[in-house]
Amino acid sequence: GAGVSQSPRYKVAKRGQDVALRCDPISGHVSLFWYQQALGQGPEFLTYFQNEAQLDKSGLPSDRFFAERPEGSVSTLKIQRTQQEDSAVYLCASSSGNFNQPQHFGDGTRLSIL
Amino acid sequence: AQKITQTQPGMFVQEKEAVTLDCTYDTSDQSYGLFWYKQPSSGEMIFLIYQGSYDEQNATEGRYSLNFQKARKSANLVISASQLGDSAMYFCAMRFLNYGGSQGNLIFGKGTKLSVKP
């Protein structure tokens, strides 16, 4: 597609359930980032892939968060045993990898944990 | 510590006037990139403009320009001839080189909510 695609757009889950969020980056983009945006705040970095390699996962808040990009294109962010504090918008961004190129964001997944 | 500060939680501007959104940053790195993004109420993050730390000229993209003052560590966004569609959250962000020279993640400020009045 022309842009970064994320699904679902909205997700409601009960506390304790597992959720999976999908990101389909711009074709050919080697770099893929996940960010978490709390209400009224700027996005915060979660994890980074270069092709299929997860080079940085320092922003993942706990071991309940797991991300993968097995074939170097589509990525999935999984949250196990969800907690209410996981409620946020999860943004995916991709880029060509060159330093002066911007990251292009998807529309995000708004996750609500009841 | 690397940090972005946006001191204006909200700004109002009259349609057709210019507005400046403030951004200061804190880093001891010499190589970095500065970005501005727009986030309308619908939620998508839209890239507006980029300034590299070694760029000598201020970046411009249509109605957007970046007032880059490296010594003061500021990168203010100027929007000329404001339009109603400019009403949105605006985020300043910074990025550094990863090991190996690839781009790193963005560090965002808290944002400024701009409201354009007709």
Side-chain angles (χ1 to χ4, degrees):
Chain A
V4 178
S5 178
Q6 290 188 248
S7 61
R9 188 73 199 275
Y10 302 93
K11 177 69 178 177
V12 179
K14 292 183 179 178
R15 191 171 63 138
Q17 288 183 330
D18 298 349
V19 298
L21 313 180
R22 176 190 168 103
C23 173
D24 200 340
I26 293 172
S27 179
H29 276 186
V30 300
S31 297
L32 187 146
F33 300 82
W34 284 97
Y35 295 86
Q36 180 190 59
Q37 187 175 21
L39 190 63
Q41 302 294 317
E44 293 194 349
F45 169 72
L46 293 176
T47 188
Y48 160 58
F49 289 87
Q50 186 168 307
N51 296 305
E52 69 278 3
Q54 188 175 20
L55 298 186
D56 188 348
K57 53 182 180 179
S58 62
L60 296 176
S62 78
D63 59 6
R64 297 185 296 104
F65 286 71
F66 171 76
E68 60 183 4
R69 193 186 185 197
E71 297 179 359
S73 56
V74 171
S75 176
T76 304
L77 176 67
K78 297 179 180 178
I79 309 173
Q80 298 175 324
R81 305 180 304 281
T82 52
Q83 303 292 318
Q84 281 195 321
E85 61 263 29
D86 300 335
S87 296
V89 175
Y90 290 84
L91 294 166
C92 176
S94 73
S95 76
S96 64
N98 294 326
F99 186 69
N100 63 348
Q101 294 300 306
Q103 294 176 18
H104 298 275
F105 284 79
D107 289 346
T109 293
R110 184 177 296 277
L111 177 64
S112 298
I113 305 300
L114 305 179
Chain B
Q2 295 151 342
K3 186 180 177 182
I4 291 275
T5 302
Q6 294 181 255
T7 57
Q8 307 152 313
M11 289 278 288
F12 287 91
V13 64
Q14 200 68 38
E15 192 179 9
K16 299 181 185 177
E17 292 186 350
V19 63
T20 298
L21 306 183
D22 294 343
C23 172
T24 58
Y25 57 92
D26 188 13
T27 181
S28 55
D29 281 39
Q30 296 302 308
S31 295
Y32 51 88
L34 293 157
F35 298 78
W36 278 90
Y37 284 84
K38 171 184 177 182
Q39 189 176 42
S41 56
S42 51
E44 72 269 32
M45 294 284 281
I46 302 167
F47 165 70
L48 297 178
I49 196 166
Y50 164 80
Q51 179 86 40
S53 59
Y54 293 114
D55 294 342
E56 294 186 351
Q57 294 205 344
N58 287 341
T60 61
E61 288 286 349
R63 295 187 298 112
Y64 305 108
S65 60
L66 204 153
N67 184 1
F68 180 48
Q69 299 186 46
K70 191 171 182 177
R72 299 178 65 178
K73 295 186 177 177
S74 74
N76 298 339
L77 177 70
V78 180
I79 305 174
S80 62
S82 297
Q83 302 172 355
L84 295 177
D86 294 336
S87 293
M89 284 291 290
Y90 288 80
F91 290 97
C92 180
M94 184 166 57
R95 186 172 73 197
F96 304 90
L97 282 172
N98 267 341
Y99 296 118
S102 65
Q103 62 170 270
N105 57 281
L106 292 166
I107 300 168
F108 286 85
K110 291 183 181 291
T112 295
K113 184 174 183 178
L114 177 67
S115 300
V116 181
K117 298 187 289 185

